Amino acid sequence: KNQVEQSPQSLIILEGKNCTLQCNYTVSPFSNLRWYKQDTGRGPVSLTIMTFSENTKSNGRYTATLDADTKQSSLHITASQLSDSASYICVVSSFDQAGTALIFGKGTTLSVSS
Amino acid sequence: DAEITQSPRHKITETGRQVTLACHQTWNHNNMFWYRQDLGHGLRLIHYSYGVHDTNKGEVSDGYSVSRSNTEDLPLTLESAASSQTSVYFCASSDGIFPYEQYFGPGTRLTVT
């Protein structure tokens, strides 16, 4: 069964600290992996998309990694800010469908405190 | 700027009533999607469309319908609302270019009493 598992479920960190969120997936065939940020009461917003051949991708203070062999991804947030408080969702797309086979993780809720 | 909007943002309705949620995008994207988001679940696909007059069922389509009469709009209809359909609904659109990035609307919170 195609699944995306995220850990931890929730995380609290102090402003300025770094953190890493994890994503494991069992989706096949694999097309690409996405990380979305979802602020409370808003729709998800894309942070990164990585295809099979990419193992690192950065977007400002966000760096995503992908290990397609072990089917694991991580999202590293550097020098966290209060505005980073949100849910971070890992999404895996299956290869042979144009965006319809998106398998969503349940998300990691990050709280950044001052 | 191009955008995707949803209306209403909040809706309370009674069991058995028909409800329509609107989704409008100005990107001229061919692909549009409806998802629901519930606690303890990832987003789940309800219906999707690849273009005008094209509609397809997703993972959780029972009790929902969509129609696509133009490129910009994909309204979602709950034929007879049930309490199990209380949820937050998101519309998304994407172009037809790999990796098919999806852009999400702000969501509609629907409560069925």
Side-chain angles (χ1 to χ4, degrees):
Chain A
K1 180 181 178 182
N2 286 334
Q3 282 188 316
V4 176
E5 301 287 342
Q6 292 187 244
S7 62
Q9 186 173 358
S10 62
L11 183 61
I12 302 172
I13 62 172
L14 288 174
E15 187 178 14
K17 297 296 186 181
N18 304 334
C19 67
T20 300
L21 314 180
Q22 301 290 344
C23 174
N24 296 334
Y25 61 93
T26 57
V27 177
S28 181
F30 173 87
S31 173
N32 58 79
L33 185 144
R34 312 153 186 229
W35 283 94
Y36 283 90
K37 178 187 180 188
Q38 185 176 20
D39 293 317
T40 301
R42 308 283 292 270
V45 175
S46 179
L47 293 174
T48 64
I49 297 180
M50 290 182 291
T51 60
F52 185 87
S53 59
E54 297 174 296
N55 52 29
T56 302
K57 203 158 200 179
S58 292
N59 178 357
R61 294 179 297 101
Y62 300 101
T63 299
T65 65
L66 173 64
D67 185 334
D69 291 333
T70 62
K71 298 187 177 181
Q72 295 180 326
S73 176
S74 65
L75 179 70
H76 185 74
I77 304 174
T78 303
S80 61
Q81 300 176 358
L82 296 178
S83 59
D84 291 331
S85 295
S87 177
Y88 292 85
I89 305 172
C90 177
V91 184
V92 179
S93 175
S94 201
F95 182 72
D96 57 350
Q97 298 186 51
T100 60
L102 291 185
I103 297 94
F104 289 79
K106 296 178 182 178
T108 292
T109 301
L110 174 65
S111 298
V112 181
S113 61
S114 57
Chain B
D1 287 343
E3 61 177 355
I4 181 166
T5 58
Q6 294 183 234
S7 62
R9 294 294 314 277
H10 301 273
K11 174 78 175 178
I12 300 174
T13 191
E14 295 177 342
T15 301
R17 291 193 177 268
Q18 183 181 80
V19 177
T20 297
L21 309 182
C23 175
H24 179 80
Q25 53 98 2
T26 58
W27 278 300
N28 201 35
H29 286 164
N30 283 326
N31 304 337
M32 296 185 72
F33 310 85
W34 273 104
Y35 297 91
R36 61 178 289 173
Q37 187 175 40
D38 304 289
L39 282 175
H41 293 273
L43 275 79
R44 292 181 289 176
L45 183 64
I46 305 171
H47 280 285
Y48 59 99
S49 168
Y50 284 150
V52 177
H53 303 311
D54 176 75
T55 62
N56 306 279
K57 294 181 179 181
E59 177 189 359
V60 290
S61 61
D62 287 348
Y64 303 94
S65 64
V66 293
S67 62
R68 188 92 180 268
S69 59
N70 58 52
T71 301
E72 296 81 16
D73 299 290
L74 186 69
L76 176 71
T77 297
L78 287 69
E79 303 293 343
S80 177
S83 57
S84 60
Q85 294 177 308
T86 292
S87 186
V88 181
Y89 292 87
F90 289 98
C91 179
S93 71
S94 73
D95 57 26
I97 302 170
F98 183 83
Y100 314 115
E101 171 70 272
Q102 290 194 16
Y103 300 90
F104 287 82
T108 294
R109 181 175 294 277
L110 176 68
T111 302
V112 183
T113 63

